[in-house]
């Protein structure tokens, strides 16, 4: 049923007006604006936002590390909300349903990557909060094929981080090829890492965490890590696999040095500072592997959400009103967020 014209009025949204550093003197990169509630087109849903996670990718967009692909783009791609209207040809959602809107917003569906289950590599892929308006707003529209049906029970602020931090961490864990019962090293311990660690622990792995934040190290130990040290500390023993969540290229050789023979390092971020010169014998020989992680597939999302529903990971939430999105990003940039930051409309 087409209900595109049943929701009228205005909604508020943050937009990236002047990409640049957050948290400094001056107005900052974000501006608040009022605009009409968007109408869902064919195949789309209109979602009223209940919660939106704050991802480091949003910070990269705001600060200009990622060039905006639409003018005055609204960040946010960890969105939990209610469907308020559906466009023509939408069959999987109806008004009132709870829905999740994540990073992957569209793929072509016909290229070699899409046809072989690798839609995350689609050259025509588009992303929420980068190519189309995101969830730092009261409402947004999404392609219904790329939205997730969400359960009614859990609070929205606990579900929201699962939609990117959780999903990309899940894919990074798969890419790391951690053997059963092995020791996983995690470099950086923010939103994605603290969820990924719990997935690995639930699967029977051991986890060693390397991060500069004292509060993050304490949280890692509380969640079950066997070791928590500084980012550059030596590993307690050779790592069977590792994931780099920190956007710091200098840690790549550090993590590779810590790997055991045959180990794999997966780099999980969309943005990474320059990697120093690697030494083949020290960092890569003996079949050590360095891998990137690029977005995710919808299959990754469904598999992770199902696993998360079984193990119920603890989501360490820092709540912010939507009106303080700029503050949340500044806190994230300054490492004042332990766990995840989530925006809640008032």
């Amino acid at each position: 049923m087409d209900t595109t014209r049943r929701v009228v009025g205005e909604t508020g949204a943050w937009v990236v007006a002047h990409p640049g550093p957050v948290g400094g003197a001056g107005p900052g990169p974000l501006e608040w604006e009022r605009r009409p509630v968007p109408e869902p087109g064919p195949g789309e849903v209109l979602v009223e936002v209940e919660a939106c996670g704050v991802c480091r990718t949003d910070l990269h967009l705001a600060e200009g590390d990622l060039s905006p692909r639409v003018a005055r783009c609204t960040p946010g791609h960890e969105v939990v909300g209610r469907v308020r209207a559906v466009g023509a040809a939408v069959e999987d959602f109806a008004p009132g349903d709870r829905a999740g809107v994540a990073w992957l917003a569209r793929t072509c569906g016909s290229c070699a990557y899409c046809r072989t289950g690798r839609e995350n590599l689609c050259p025509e892929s588009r992303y929420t909060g980068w190519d189309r308006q995101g969830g730092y707003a009261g409402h947004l529209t999404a392609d219904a094929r790329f939205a997730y049906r969400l359960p009614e029970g859990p609070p929205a602020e606990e579900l929201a981080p699962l939609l990117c931090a959780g999903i990309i961490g899940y894919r990074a864990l798969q890419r790391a090829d951690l053997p059963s019962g092995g020791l996983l090293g995690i470099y950086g311990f923010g939103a994605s890492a603290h969820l990924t660690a719990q997935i690995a622990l639930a699967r029977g792995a051991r986890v060693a965490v390397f991060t500069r934040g004292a509060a993050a190290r304490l949280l890692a130990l509380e969640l079950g890590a066997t070791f928590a040290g500084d980012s550059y500390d030596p590993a307690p023993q050779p790592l069977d696999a590792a994931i780099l969540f920190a956007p710091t290229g200098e840690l790549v050789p550090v993590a590779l040095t810590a790997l055991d023979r045959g180990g794999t390092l997966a780099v999980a971020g969309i943005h990474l500072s320059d990697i120093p010169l690697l030494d083949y014998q020290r960092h890569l020989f003996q079949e050590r592997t360095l891998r990137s992680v690029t977005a995710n597939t919808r299959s990754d999302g469904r598999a992770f959400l199902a696993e998360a529903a079984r193990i119920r990971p603890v989501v360490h939430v820092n709540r912010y009103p939507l009106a303080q999105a700029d503050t949340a990003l500044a806190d994230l940039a300054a490492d004042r967020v332990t766990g995840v930051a989530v925006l809640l409309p008032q």
Side-chain angles (χ1 to χ4, degrees):
M1 179 177 61
D2 187 344
T3 59
T4 56
R5 299 191 179 278
R6 293 190 181 180
V7 178
V8 297
E10 286 190 333
T11 192
W14 288 98
V15 298
V16 179
H18 309 287
V22 302
L30 297 187
E31 288 183 0
W32 179 257
E33 70 176 22
R34 301 290 298 178
R35 59 193 185 205
V37 174
E39 293 185 358
E44 293 184 338
V45 290
L46 170 67
V47 177
E48 183 176 0
V49 178
E50 293 180 333
C52 182
V54 178
C55 179
R56 189 163 291 274
T57 302
D58 304 331
L59 180 61
H60 292 317
L61 179 69
E63 294 197 317
D65 297 322
L66 296 178
S67 298
R69 291 181 172 178
V70 294
R72 298 184 68 81
C73 181
T74 295
H77 53 271
E78 298 178 320
V79 183
V80 176
R82 294 283 172 187
V83 175
R84 294 307 181 200
V86 300
V90 172
E91 297 180 354
D92 293 335
F93 288 95
D97 287 346
R98 202 177 203 189
V101 182
W103 176 236
L104 187 64
R106 197 193 76 189
T107 59
C108 75
S110 59
C111 69
Y113 304 103
C114 288
R115 295 197 310 270
T116 55
R118 298 176 294 161
E119 65 181 4
N120 60 306
L121 301 179
C122 173
E124 300 300 321
S125 57
R126 297 293 181 266
Y127 300 97
T128 309
W130 192 18
D131 293 290
R132 61 184 297 159
Q133 305 294 5
Y136 285 25
H139 299 79
L140 80 163
T141 57
D143 187 324
R145 300 170 300 171
F146 289 83
Y148 295 94
R149 296 189 68 89
L150 297 178
E152 291 292 338
E157 60 264 36
E158 294 182 11
L159 287 174
L162 304 184
L163 292 165
C164 178
I167 294 173
I168 201 65
Y170 174 88
R171 184 168 184 87
L173 183 58
Q174 301 296 94
R175 294 278 290 165
D177 282 342
L178 178 66
S180 178
L183 177 61
L184 173 68
I186 292 180
Y187 289 81
F189 203 71
S192 190
H194 95 289
L195 296 172
T196 307
Q198 295 178 71
I199 295 292
L201 289 165
R203 293 179 178 182
R206 295 167 292 134
V207 172
V209 170
F210 306 86
T211 187
R212 63 186 179 182
R217 292 195 292 270
L218 180 60
L219 177 60
L221 294 172
E222 290 175 353
L223 294 176
T226 58
F227 172 87
D230 184 76
S231 301
Y232 294 88
D233 283 350
Q237 65 186 78
L239 305 173
D240 296 300
I243 303 173
L244 175 59
F245 286 104
T248 307
E250 289 183 356
L251 289 174
V252 170
V254 173
L256 287 171
T257 300
L259 284 179
D260 202 354
R261 300 179 181 209
T264 296
L265 169 63
V267 179
I270 189 174
H271 172 78
L272 189 72
S273 61
D274 290 344
I275 299 173
L277 186 67
L278 298 179
D279 180 272
Y280 177 70
Q281 293 291 330
R282 183 182 180 191
H283 298 129
L284 294 173
F285 191 57
Q286 295 170 331
E287 300 193 351
R288 294 176 178 87
T289 300
L290 174 61
R291 284 179 164 177
S292 66
V293 180
T294 301
N296 62 273
T297 67
R298 284 170 287 177
S299 293
D300 292 328
R302 290 188 289 267
F304 167 71
L305 291 173
E307 190 163 353
R310 290 195 300 271
I311 72 168
R312 295 297 298 271
V314 176
V315 185
H316 193 84
V317 178
N318 299 262
R319 298 167 178 81
Y320 293 80
L322 177 60
Q324 295 179 12
D326 50 353
T327 301
L329 283 179
D331 287 348
L332 182 63
D335 288 330
R336 292 190 291 264
V337 175
T338 301
V340 298
V342 179
L343 304 176
L344 298 171
Q346 295 170 294

